[in-house]
C-alpha cells in the first residue's frame, strides 16, 4: 500500500476537573487515535500495525487505548467504520445532489456532471487505499466489507435509480427497472477506474475522461425513448 506522511502527534488536551478529560477533550483524543490508526493501517496493513505503534504515534498510553478499544481488531473495525462513512458514502451523496437538480430535457447534462463528480469523489486521497485495505481484510472482517458495499455501492445504486426514475417520469429516458439501469450506469462509468485503484495502478486521466464521455453516451443511447 502506498505510504502516507504521518502527522506529528498533537499535544494531549489538558484534563478537566478531577483529572478526568471533559467530553470535548475525550472526543478530540478519540478522533486523534482514529486518525493515526487510519494512517498506520493504510501504510502497514492490519498485520503490520501494532497497538504500541498506534499509542506512540497518537501520543497516548496503551491503557488509555485499551480503555476504549478491547484489542487491535476492535480498533480496526472502528477505523474502517469511520472511514467508510467519510470516504465511500459521499459517492452516493453526489447522486442525491443531481437528483434534486433534474429538470426536463437535461438527461445528458445531468448524467455527464454526475459521472464526473462520482469519479472525482472515488479518487479522493485515501479512498483507494481504504478500498484496498478493506479488500485485503474482507475474509477476516466480512461485516465491514458488507458495510462498505452497502454504504458505498448499493446506496449509490439506489440513489441513481431514483434519479433515473425521475427522468423516466419526465419522458427523458425509458427504463423498466431503474435500479438495474443505475447499476449498469455506475459500472460503465466507474468499473475500470475502480479496478485500477484497487490494484494500485495509476490512472491515465486523459484516457479516463475519454472513457467517461463514451460511457455516458453509450448508456444514453440505450435508454432513449423510442420515437413516437
Amino acid at each position: 500500500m502506498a505510504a502516507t506522511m504521518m502527522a506529528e502527534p498533537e499535544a494531549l488536551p489538558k484534563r478537566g476537573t478531577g483529572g478526568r478529560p471533559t467530553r470535548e477533550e475525550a472526543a478530540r483524543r478519540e478522533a486523534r487515535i482514529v486518525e493515526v490508526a487510519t494512517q498506520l493501517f493504510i501504510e502497514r496493513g492490519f498485520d503490520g500495525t501494532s497497538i504500541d505503534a498506534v499509542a506512540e504515534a497518537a501520543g497516548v498510553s496503551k491503557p488509555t487505548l485499551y480503555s476504549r478499544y478491547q484489542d487491535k481488531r476492535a480498533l480496526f473495525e472502528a477505523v474502517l467504520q469511520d472511514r467508510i462513512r467519510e470516504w465511500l458514502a459521499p459517492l452516493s451523496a453526489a447522486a442525491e445532489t443531481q437528483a434534486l437538480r433534474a429538470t426536463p430535457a437535461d438527461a445528458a447534462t445531468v448524467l455527464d456532471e454526475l459521472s464526473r463528480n462520482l469519479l472525482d469523489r472515488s479518487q479522493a486521497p485515501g479512498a483507494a487505499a481504504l478500498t484496498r485495505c478493506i479488500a485485503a481484510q474482507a475474509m477476516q472482517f466480512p461485516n465491514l466489507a458488507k458495510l462498505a458495499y452497502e454504504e458505498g455501492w448499493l446506496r449509490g445504486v439506489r440513489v441513481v435509480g431514483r434519479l433515473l426514475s425521475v427522468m423516466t417520469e419526465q419522458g427523458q429516458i425509458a427504463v423498466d427497472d431503474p435500479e438495474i439501469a443505475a447499476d449498469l450506469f455506475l459500472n460503465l462509468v466507474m468499473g475500470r477506474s475502480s479496478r485500477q485503484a484497487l490494484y494500485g495502478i495509476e490512472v491515465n486521466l486523459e484516457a479516463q475522461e475519454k472513457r467517461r464521455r463514451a460511457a455516458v453516451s453509450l448508456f444514453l443511447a440505450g435508454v432513449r425513448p423510442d420515437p413516437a
Side-chain angles (χ1 to χ4, degrees), residues 6-187:
M6 286 292 299
E8 291 295 326
E10 297 177 353
L12 288 178
K14 295 181 180 180
R15 292 179 179 272
T17 305
R20 294 178 61 84
T22 65
R23 183 176 301 177
E24 181 180 349
E25 291 166 349
R28 286 181 55 197
R29 181 174 62 190
E30 184 163 347
R32 176 62 186 166
I33 291 171
V34 169
E35 177 188 358
V36 169
T38 299
Q39 293 174 333
L40 290 177
F41 281 130
I42 287 176
E43 289 177 6
R44 307 177 185 181
F46 178 78
D47 294 331
T49 300
S50 67
I51 287 289
D52 287 0
V54 174
E56 180 180 358
V60 300
S61 67
K62 284 198 294 183
T64 295
L65 203 57
Y66 279 117
S67 70
R68 179 63 184 85
Y69 304 102
Q70 182 178 359
D71 52 24
K72 185 171 71 169
R73 181 187 180 94
L75 177 59
F76 185 68
E77 290 179 347
V79 163
L80 290 194
Q81 286 176 0
D82 182 77
R83 298 300 94 174
I84 284 166
R85 293 188 174 96
E86 181 175 335
W87 288 338
L88 299 186
L91 294 178
S92 56
E96 289 176 334
T97 299
Q98 293 294 346
L100 294 175
R101 295 178 183 173
T103 57
D106 69 346
T109 300
V110 170
L111 293 180
D112 183 80
E113 185 178 347
L114 174 59
S115 64
R116 195 189 308 275
N117 200 340
L118 289 172
L119 282 172
D120 287 345
R121 287 176 178 270
S122 70
Q123 293 168 3
L130 172 67
T131 300
R132 291 194 293 273
C133 192
I134 294 171
Q137 299 297 328
M139 296 299 293
Q140 188 174 358
F141 298 93
N143 288 339
L144 289 174
K146 182 180 179 182
L147 177 63
Y149 180 62
E150 291 178 346
E151 287 293 311
W153 187 264
L154 286 187
R155 185 179 169 201
V157 167
R158 288 192 293 270
V159 174
V160 174
R162 291 200 295 271
L163 172 60
L164 297 182
S165 291
V166 171
M167 291 180 173
T168 299
E169 291 169 3
Q170 294 170 343
Q172 299 181 63
I173 63 174
V175 295
D176 295 327
D177 190 317
E179 287 203 3
I180 290 179
D183 188 74
L184 293 172
F185 174 76
L186 290 174
N187 271 291

Side-chain angles (χ1 to χ4, degrees), residues 119 123 193 203-212:
L119 282 172
Q123 293 168 3
S193 296
V203 175
N204 182 312
L205 296 180
E206 183 177 348
Q208 176 180 270
E209 175 60 14
K210 182 178 180 181
R211 189 179 188 280
R212 183 196 65 79

